[in-house]
Amino acid sequence: MNRPLLFLDVDGPLNPYAAKPERRPDGYTTLRVPRDDARRDDRGMSSRRRPLRVWLNPEHGRTLLQLGFELCWATTWMDDANRWIAPVLGLPELPFVDFGDVLLRERPDGVHWKTGPLVDYAGGRPFAWVDDEQSELDQTYVTAHHQGPELLHHVNPRIGIRENDFHRLASFAQSLDTPRTTGRTPRQL
């Protein structure tokens, strides 16, 4: 059996962007990512933008690789996560979900704009999705539209992914390998 997918968001889970800006969390390093070199203001004039501050914990890459998943970026960074995020975490180049036209486009039903594309990408394959913007509407959508086991795991963007989050993900991956004599799916465990 193929390993389950682990869809990874960057901002929130890996980059605790909502933490106090003057207090980088222990174990994290600061990365300065240039934004567009120049952008046009309202008058059509070019103006410089400050680099984006990203906090990453280099230990997280090793831990993610040991969880038993096939890792996949599920972030607005898309392929740029391979350029900026993966090297700091010690991750290889990973596949990514190309959100294309739905990128940041709000849905009228309140389901997160990532949810449909992630279900489509998984194609019935078991997956876990780590993000800081999921809701009950997303869980309901996934339950209705995805035939395989899934775990939507919310991470607080003030603290980022922690040891207990890694344990939960590992437990989910291991539950997929366990023979089920109860007839219950991992979602019900």
Side-chain angles (χ1 to χ4, degrees), residues 127 150 155 171 178:
F127 72 85
E150 90 303 305
V155 173
S171 293
T178 305

Side-chain angles (χ1 to χ4, degrees), residues 14-31:
L14 297 175
N15 169 29
Y17 69 88
K20 292 184 179 185
E22 69 280 356
R23 297 222 28 190
R24 180 177 67 201
D26 290 339
Y28 283 73
T29 186
T30 302
L31 175 67

Side-chain angles (χ1 to χ4, degrees), residues 21-117:
E22 69 280 356
R23 297 222 28 190
R24 180 177 67 201
D26 290 339
Y28 283 73
T29 186
T30 302
L31 175 67
R32 301 279 180 200
V33 179
R35 298 183 195 217
D36 300 331
D37 290 336
R39 67 178 172 89
R40 300 283 174 194
D41 64 16
D42 294 338
R43 297 179 314 253
M45 302 295 290
S46 177
S47 64
R48 298 299 246 173
R49 296 177 69 188
R50 293 176 46 188
L52 178 65
R53 185 234 343 126
V54 179
W55 284 331
L56 298 170
N57 185 327
E59 293 298 314
H60 287 166
R62 185 175 45 112
T63 304
L64 288 165
L65 290 170
Q66 295 173 351
L67 291 176
F69 288 91
E70 180 181 315
L71 305 179
C72 181
W73 296 120
T75 174
T76 57
W77 291 75
M78 291 193 282
D79 192 36
D80 283 340
N82 285 317
R83 178 178 177 198
W84 295 102
I85 308 303
V88 176
L89 299 179
L91 293 174
E93 185 170 321
L94 301 176
F96 65 96
V97 178
D98 184 346
F99 292 109
D101 293 340
V102 302
L103 184 66
L104 300 172
R105 186 171 291 164
E106 244 180 83
R107 291 174 49 130
D109 60 3
V111 172
H112 195 281
W113 56 268
K114 289 182 185 178
T115 307

